[in-house]
Amino acid sequence: MEGKEFQKKNLGLQINSQDSGTSRTTFHSLQDLGDDIINESWDRVNQKKTSAKDEVLPETPLPSPSLSAKKVNTKEEEVAVKSSNSQSKEPSQEPRVDVPYTCFTKDRRLVIFGIIIFIGFLGPMSGNIYIPALPLLQREFDVSATTINSTVSAFMAVFSVGPLFWGALADFGGRKFLYMVSLSLMLAVNIILAAVPANIAALFVLRVFQAFASSSVISLGAGTVTDVVPPKHRGKAIAYFMMGPNMGPIIAPIVAGLILMKGNYWRWLFGFTSIMAGIALILVTALLPETLRCIVGNGDPKWCERKKGVEGKVLPSSQRRGLSRWHLFPDMGIRKPVTNDPFFQQKYPKPPKAGFTLYWKMVKCPPVIITSVSTALLFSSYYAFSVTFSYYLENDYHFTMLEIGAAYVCPGVAMLLGSQSGGHLSDYLRSRWIKTHPEKKFPAEFRLILNLVGILLTMGGTVGYGWSIFFHHHFVVLLVFSSLTAFGMTWCSNTSMTYLTELFPKRAAGTVAVSSFFRNIGAAISSAIILKLCKAMGTGWCFTGLGFCSLISLVGILYLIIFQRKYTTEEF
């Protein structure tokens, strides 16, 4: 009874303040002052220790600005009552406040996306700039085609395991520091690759370290996208981020062709990669802020103000939205949460540190393992094409190095179009579903419906490419089928990545790292054995079998779509 009487009196203090002469619009700023109310409420919870359950706090008005209105509506009264209740011992009575998903300005988000797209380009570029030069490197290092192709397999094998390491730390220790570490290692390794003598053992070892350094880009980039983009726009955001990785297969072969067209200047392949890594390191160090939500929240400076104990009025959310720190070299070093405030910790909890046990739980989770294996099979088909493309163009079609590099542009553009169109269509279908089901939560598995189309396109492209090589069809026919393979693969990859980040937002980098592990393992195995299989089975039948392996992907995706409700509440 005393608690109810206190609530009435406290509410009365706020309502009676209408005699202060301020305008009615001042009262309606109560919603904007929601953060201020929470600040005061939590401060009172932390400072006051009540000994009895029914003890009533002193009847003093909240230190918010005076509120005035001729009439108090029901919603506003409810907020005021909840704010007074939140002064009790139980913090669960706190008012619900509309906190924006991100407070980074539009310009700041453009800078963040520009940097992570460029970094995302470096990983695939490191692998693809090397592929058109495989026939030349075979002669330079005096080894067989199988041996030189094994360097690609070694790169892809490490490229598959590396994201597990980077992803484990990315969801716990921060994004920026890991970007700087991986780019520094990439810079150093590529400089050494460009300088050492031609030795096949040294090439294998250094390519392993190059792959490890390059493997951070996908998991860190996907985590950064999840930090700053809400789920309703995440399909497009993932598509924009994947422009970087998808541009690697387009630009890298052209650069390789330009470098090699005048001679065997293969060392400059690694020299160019080191220059790009150095530029990326400078951009990250000078401009990229920390974005991990359990460390900086939504990027709102008010969290830092609360930690520093700054007194006085905090800007309303309407004025603070979009406010961020614009200065050079932000958030250097290993970061800790900007505040220990209970509301911050409740809204942006720190996930447990990832390890083998957690990754094993992810692997056993049906949505993760099914989408990962599905993407891995499609990626295997693409890399089988990618490795054999330069081999057959040189030996069967007698293309020059520059022509081989230019030939990769067509499937590269198809990869870019597949990612962009798939991402935008995925978000459009999501928004349309929400409009027709306004009171229901969108089932994330519905995004995977698009994968059914992508899988069929990849199957058709893979089978058609194999028989086009076998019958020595015109070069344009090869480009058509290779483009279908690339388009379908990135269409599915983008949708699967968006699905995982929406289903497990607190473990975005970790789940994407697991998916990358399976995907790159498939690519490594495919690139290692594809030429032997083609010689043993014939190119046509080899790629036919590889294409029909994608039926496994089709069955898995259908299973998730049909039985999706069983897994939507799983979280790590």
Side-chain angles (χ1 to χ4, degrees), residues 149-433:
N149 285 341
S150 297
T151 61
V152 178
S153 300
F155 181 94
M156 295 308 302
V158 178
F159 200 78
S160 65
V161 178
L164 299 178
F165 170 81
W166 299 111
L169 298 178
D171 284 330
F172 181 79
R175 317 283 193 208
K176 178 170 181 173
F177 181 73
L178 295 183
Y179 277 127
M180 295 175 63
V181 171
S182 62
L183 290 172
S184 298
L185 181 59
M186 189 187 302
L187 175 63
V189 170
N190 279 288
I191 291 175
I192 297 174
L193 273 168
V196 296
N199 181 277
I200 191 63
L203 181 63
F204 266 99
V205 172
L206 291 173
R207 286 283 286 176
V208 164
F209 282 101
Q210 185 190 37
F212 178 72
S214 305
S215 63
S216 67
V217 296
I218 299 296
S219 56
L220 289 177
T224 304
V225 170
T226 306
D227 293 337
V228 299
V229 179
K232 63 180 180 180
H233 299 306
R234 196 161 297 156
K236 294 190 291 287
I238 291 290
Y240 290 137
F241 162 66
M242 290 302 294
M243 286 175 62
N246 292 337
M247 288 294 286
I250 301 174
I251 297 178
I254 298 176
V255 173
L258 292 172
I259 291 174
L260 301 174
M261 65 182 297
K262 295 295 185 180
N264 58 346
Y265 301 108
W266 58 269
R267 295 182 185 277
W268 271 105
L269 300 175
F270 305 114
F272 177 81
T273 307
S274 65
I275 293 172
M276 294 295 101
I279 294 173
L281 180 60
I282 294 173
L283 291 174
V284 168
T285 304
L287 298 177
L288 188 70
E290 180 57 65
T291 61
L292 184 60
R293 295 177 71 79
C294 67
I295 293 180
V296 299
N298 60 355
D300 196 331
K302 65 117 177 181
W303 302 120
C304 294
E305 293 173 1
R306 188 176 300 186
K307 181 177 181 180
K308 295 177 182 177
V310 177
E311 297 182 355
K313 182 180 177 182
V314 179
L315 289 174
S317 60
S318 60
Q319 298 180 29
R320 194 175 62 246
R321 188 185 299 270
L323 183 65
S324 62
R325 300 156 292 175
W326 253 121
H327 57 268
L328 293 176
F329 306 104
D331 304 327
M332 299 295 292
I334 300 176
R335 307 296 296 176
K336 295 182 179 180
V338 295
T339 179
N340 295 324
D341 184 81
F343 177 64
F344 178 91
Q345 293 178 345
Q346 181 183 17
K347 189 164 184 64
Y348 309 109
K350 176 176 286 190
K353 192 171 183 179
F356 177 79
T357 303
L358 183 60
Y359 278 129
W360 180 242
K361 289 181 180 179
M362 291 182 183
V363 170
K364 293 191 297 182
C365 179
V368 177
I369 187 63
I370 291 175
T371 55
S372 298
V373 172
S374 172
T375 307
L377 291 172
L378 300 178
F379 220 65
S380 299
S381 299
Y382 175 77
Y383 257 82
F385 144 74
S386 183
V387 169
T388 58
F389 198 41
S390 60
Y391 176 82
Y392 287 118
L393 288 181
E394 183 184 41
N395 292 282
D396 292 3
Y397 289 83
H398 307 292
F399 275 32
T400 65
M401 285 294 174
L402 182 59
E403 290 171 337
I404 291 174
Y408 279 91
V409 173
C410 188
V413 171
M415 290 178 65
L416 192 62
L417 293 176
S419 176
Q420 291 297 312
S421 58
H424 283 75
L425 184 58
S426 177
D427 278 353
Y428 169 74
L429 294 177
R430 182 185 189 275
S431 62
R432 193 176 72 171
W433 190 95

Side-chain angles (χ1 to χ4, degrees), residues 479-495:
L479 292 182
V480 171
F481 284 116
S482 63
S483 296
L484 287 176
T485 302
F487 183 93
M489 187 271 292
T490 52
W491 175 287
C492 295
S493 178
N494 179 84
T495 307

